[in-house]
Amino acid sequence: MPQMAHLPLILSPKGGKLSKRNAEELGIPVLVRQYRELGYEPEALVNYLAFLGWNPGTEQEVFTLEELIEAFSLDRVRPAPCSSASTSCSGITSSSSGACRSRSWPARPCPT
């Protein structure tokens, strides 16, 4: 049986709750489609979202989906709100050379 939980509120870099409207005004992607259009790999987005309010208790910053499933625990989710600026999705994926790369995933073409 799946466990359900509420994760911490995501705060705007300017303070207060991050809403779709103020995220768009600040240039923060809020839709999966927007991240895809910017060239982010699905694995990078999953890592980014996992680290919003959660800490694995190690120095590891990049996880495969299997590693995240193994490492994730609700006990390591902070109850306090977190900032969308506290974790960087840009550090995980780069599309500057036409291929999305990260420290642990093979390069593959970015979506166009």
Side-chain angles (χ1 to χ4, degrees):
M1 167 83 51
Q3 291 184 0
M4 304 296 279
H6 288 276
L7 298 177
L9 181 67
I10 301 172
L11 300 176
S12 167
K14 289 190 168 189
K17 181 175 84 171
L18 181 66
S19 69
K20 182 180 173 192
R21 182 182 312 157
N22 71 18
E24 288 175 348
E25 290 171 0
L26 295 170
I28 300 170
V30 291
L31 303 174
V32 171
R33 174 182 44 81
Q34 292 170 317
Y35 283 95
R36 187 181 312 134
E37 289 169 355
L38 290 170
Y40 288 97
E41 294 182 36
E43 296 90 344
L45 184 56
V46 169
N47 262 262
Y48 171 71
L49 294 173
F51 274 85
L52 288 175
W54 174 75
N55 183 309
T58 68
E59 297 295 318
Q60 184 175 352
E61 295 179 354
V62 177
F63 288 81
T64 65
L65 184 56
E66 293 78 21
E67 290 171 334
L68 271 174
I69 291 168
E70 182 69 29
F72 189 84
S73 168
L74 289 174
D75 296 335
R76 305 249 359 133
V77 175
R78 296 178 303 239
C82 59
S83 170
S84 61
S86 67
T87 305
S88 174
C89 194
S90 297
I92 297 174
T93 301
S94 170
S95 60
S96 60
S97 65
C100 295
R101 291 185 182 76
S102 77
R103 287 169 255 175
S104 64
W105 302 300
R108 66 176 169 211
C110 290
T112 57

